[in-house]
Amino acid sequence: MSRPLLHRRFPALARTVPHLRLGDGPTPVRRMTGLPLPVPVWCKDESGFGSGGWGGNKVRKLEWILPEAERRGARTLLTVGGLGTNWGLATALYAGEHGLHTALALIDQPLDDHVRAQFDRIRRSGATVHLTRTKARTIAAVPWLMARHTTARRPPYYVPAGGSAPVGTLGYVETALEIAGQVARGTLPEPSHAVLALGSGGTAAGLALGLRMAGLRTRVVGIVVNDTLPLDARSIAGLARRTERLLRRRGAATAAVGLRPEDLTVVRGWLGPGYGHPTPEAEAARHLAAREERLDLEPVYTAKAFAALLALGAEGRFGAGPVLFLHTHGPRGTG
């Protein structure tokens, strides 16, 4: 089984930052030819990443989070999300496969067929579910949740929403190195911009950090799809810097990147009434992606990001491009 690119680039990390292979890369890239845009658009399709019951960008983060939890002796992962959280489902499924229990604190979000189906999968995943309803109630419940899920004096390993802590963010530093390899091999032209949904920040932070570490000039463009977390260029750059400090503290001999807020673009205006609320633009983008590009987008994250990409591209905001769309949604046949 091949070593992760981070371990190959920085051999000392193999001893200090454990990795658990949960999927096979590199994930494919392809030119999107059916879009009504003046700029070339490529897609990096992360939907196929993951060997278990769910796929996509969450699995990239779990490859680093699960072995870190085990290294710390935890028996349970405690994390948070909405009723239809992809992150919570992926955590429960993959953690369960590797002997760890998952406890989820879930806040309300608008109910539709997508959320109902996802919540049903979560209930069948083996996770312990706590319906904390609101962000404020969830924060207030954290001390009780930590005590409730302490086993044999071992507290649960807490992971923020979306896995967006420095250890989880390594998943998209790894992916950025993978993209750099695809550029070097001529599989993908170096993108001028990489567009993705901005839900908890870890994917964007890791991607921006990793692209700079690899020497690429690609600018990360995050489309805000969540209003329950602080998501701006300053917070994303801060997470990237904390991730860089983690790498250096664990032995990575690398020149400092020091990502700054001005190195990122955060785009608002595509969220709609709030997290999880559908928008007409996202629905139109979802149908266009399915019809023209055979992409299975979902309404909460990727369809909104794709709608923004279409509008920004039509406005000429990407210059000559090419633009890379990061498709992060990874459904499986989980019923």
Side-chain angles (χ1 to χ4, degrees), residues 3 22 30 35 43-44 55 75 94 97 106 167 176 178 180 205 209 230 238 262 267 291 297 308:
R3 293 182 298 156
L22 299 176
R30 62 180 172 90
L35 304 182
C43 175
K44 183 165 176 65
R75 296 180 178 177
Y94 285 92
E97 288 181 2
L106 302 184
V167 171
E178 186 176 294
L209 173 61
E262 52 266 36
V267 178
R291 183 179 69 248
L297 306 182

Side-chain angles (χ1 to χ4, degrees), residues 50-121:
S51 57
W54 200 253
N57 67 327
K58 313 305 183 187
V59 186
R60 293 273 197 181
K61 299 175 181 181
L62 288 167
E63 288 197 320
W64 304 89
I65 288 170
L66 293 184
E68 179 68 14
E70 291 179 335
R71 187 180 76 87
R72 297 190 182 195
R75 296 180 178 177
T76 298
L77 271 70
L78 172 62
T79 191
V80 298
L83 289 176
T85 170
N86 296 330
W87 161 246
L89 177 61
T91 301
L93 293 172
Y94 285 92
E97 288 181 2
H98 293 87
L100 293 170
H101 183 63
T102 299
L104 301 175
L106 302 184
I107 66 172
D108 292 341
Q109 70 179 91
L111 290 175
D112 58 16
D113 289 344
H114 167 76
V115 173
R116 289 187 185 93
Q118 194 73 332
F119 183 58
D120 185 57
R121 296 182 185 108

Side-chain angles (χ1 to χ4, degrees), residues 25-304:
T27 53
V29 292
R30 62 180 172 90
R31 175 83 180 266
M32 302 175 77
T33 58
L35 304 182
L37 292 177
V39 61
V41 179
W42 289 66
C43 175
K44 183 165 176 65
D45 192 351
E46 293 280 88
S47 65
F49 191 86
S51 57
W54 200 253
N57 67 327
K58 313 305 183 187
V59 186
R60 293 273 197 181
K61 299 175 181 181
L62 288 167
E63 288 197 320
W64 304 89
I65 288 170
L66 293 184
E68 179 68 14
E70 291 179 335
R71 187 180 76 87
R72 297 190 182 195
R75 296 180 178 177
T76 298
L77 271 70
L78 172 62
T79 191
V80 298
L83 289 176
T85 170
N86 296 330
W87 161 246
L89 177 61
T91 301
L93 293 172
Y94 285 92
E97 288 181 2
H98 293 87
L100 293 170
H101 183 63
T102 299
L104 301 175
L106 302 184
I107 66 172
D108 292 341
Q109 70 179 91
L111 290 175
D112 58 16
D113 289 344
H114 167 76
V115 173
R116 289 187 185 93
Q118 194 73 332
F119 183 58
D120 185 57
R121 296 182 185 108
I122 290 168
R123 287 191 301 179
R124 292 186 281 111
S125 69
T128 299
V129 175
H130 301 280
L131 299 178
T132 48
R133 301 296 183 187
T134 67
K135 180 179 178 180
R137 287 180 59 179
T138 302
I139 293 171
V142 166
W144 178 83
L145 291 168
M146 292 293 290
R148 166 70 174 77
H149 292 287
T150 294
T151 304
R153 297 186 180 181
R154 296 180 181 181
Y157 182 70
Y158 175 73
V159 188
S164 291
V167 171
T169 299
L170 295 177
Y172 271 85
V173 177
E174 176 79 9
T175 307
L177 299 180
E178 186 176 294
I179 290 170
Q182 291 173 313
V183 170
R185 292 189 294 274
T187 310
L188 169 72
E190 181 176 350
S192 64
H193 300 78
V195 178
L196 68 156
L198 193 57
S200 61
T203 299
L207 196 66
L209 173 61
L211 290 170
R212 290 295 178 272
M213 288 172 60
L216 297 188
R217 297 164 294 176
T218 307
R219 187 175 187 86
V220 170
V221 180
I223 312 302
V224 176
V225 298
N226 190 351
D227 57 355
T228 66
L229 296 170
L231 294 171
D232 54 24
R234 183 177 179 180
S235 64
I236 304 307
L239 177 56
R241 289 195 298 271
R242 294 198 305 276
T243 304
E244 183 179 7
R245 288 197 294 271
L246 170 70
L247 286 170
R248 294 168 67 85
R249 193 166 62 246
R250 300 270 182 109
T254 177
V257 173
L259 202 75
R260 303 166 300 168
E262 52 266 36
D263 296 327
L264 301 150
T265 299
V266 172
V267 178
R268 301 185 183 277
W270 297 92
L271 175 66
Y275 174 71
H277 288 265
T279 67
E281 297 84 359
E283 190 64 9
R286 190 168 70 87
H287 286 294
L288 175 67
R291 183 179 69 248
E292 299 295 336
E293 300 294 345
R294 303 179 308 283
L295 278 185
D296 180 16
L297 306 182
E298 42 69 48
V300 179
Y301 297 92
T302 50
K304 291 180 179 180

Side-chain angles (χ1 to χ4, degrees), residues 5-28:
L5 297 173
L6 270 169
H7 286 179
R8 295 185 215 174
R9 189 180 183 95
F10 306 112
L13 296 180
R15 299 186 301 274
T16 61
V17 185
H19 176 263
L20 175 64
R21 179 72 63 188
L22 299 176
D24 294 321
T27 53

